[in-house]
Amino acid sequence: MDRWLGPMHPALAALSAVILLTAGCTNPPAVPQPSPEPAPATRLGTIARAEVGDRLTVTATVDRVIADRAFVVRDVDLTNGILLVLSAGPSAPAPPQLVTVQGTVIRFSHRDLADHYALGPPGPYRAFEGRPALVAQALRTWE
């Protein structure tokens, strides 16, 4: 048996090498293909993707102040361009200040929140009723 493998051994080694080289050369590396689904225009972490109870950080311009503890911010990345922010702070920042708000997403209900945040009459809040709002835990104004 040794006599048969002896002369064949170099031939088997060469054949194995040829097979490995041929297999490696004939299969080109896989090229990543683009996803068939379009990428969403909204980035993760924005109010459009946020659910009630999610923590969120938003940097936007103060559009208007509704009450001492309620103001509206405006930014193109926000749903409908605006977002109601409720703050535990003593007073809201003035327009057109740039602010960064860290907070928790809620579903706004004037009836449920009016007393706690001293919101005043419901009229200015009608556009936000039932929509996501942000309860600020931290608020930073930019000069």
Side-chain angles (χ1 to χ4, degrees):
M1 188 169 205
D2 285 331
R3 282 192 291 182
W4 186 77
L5 285 177
M8 294 294 288
H9 184 17
L12 287 174
L15 181 60
S16 297
V18 168
I19 290 172
L20 289 173
L21 288 173
T22 303
C25 293
T26 58
N27 293 329
V31 176
Q33 298 297 316
S35 172
E37 298 177 19
T42 305
R43 295 178 309 225
L44 289 175
T46 64
I47 193 72
R49 292 191 169 272
E51 296 183 20
V52 171
D54 285 353
R55 301 258 314 148
L56 188 68
T57 301
V58 173
T59 299
T61 304
V62 176
D63 183 62
R64 68 185 181 273
V65 175
I66 300 175
D68 282 344
R69 297 172 64 190
F71 60 97
V72 178
V73 294
R74 178 175 297 279
D75 191 86
V76 294
D77 289 336
L78 298 173
T79 305
N80 297 328
I82 58 174
L83 176 66
L84 177 64
V85 177
L86 303 175
S87 172
S91 64
Q97 276 186 305
L98 183 65
V99 295
T100 297
V101 182
Q102 294 176 333
T104 303
V105 177
I106 62 164
R107 180 88 37 217
F108 181 75
S109 167
H110 184 271
R111 184 185 62 200
D112 296 342
L113 301 168
D115 290 338
H116 184 74
Y117 290 98
L119 298 179
Y125 301 96
R126 284 197 180 102
F128 302 102
E129 195 67 39
R131 290 182 41 201
L134 193 61
V135 174
Q137 277 89 35
L139 175 69
R140 177 179 181 190
T141 57
W142 299 88
E143 304 278 329

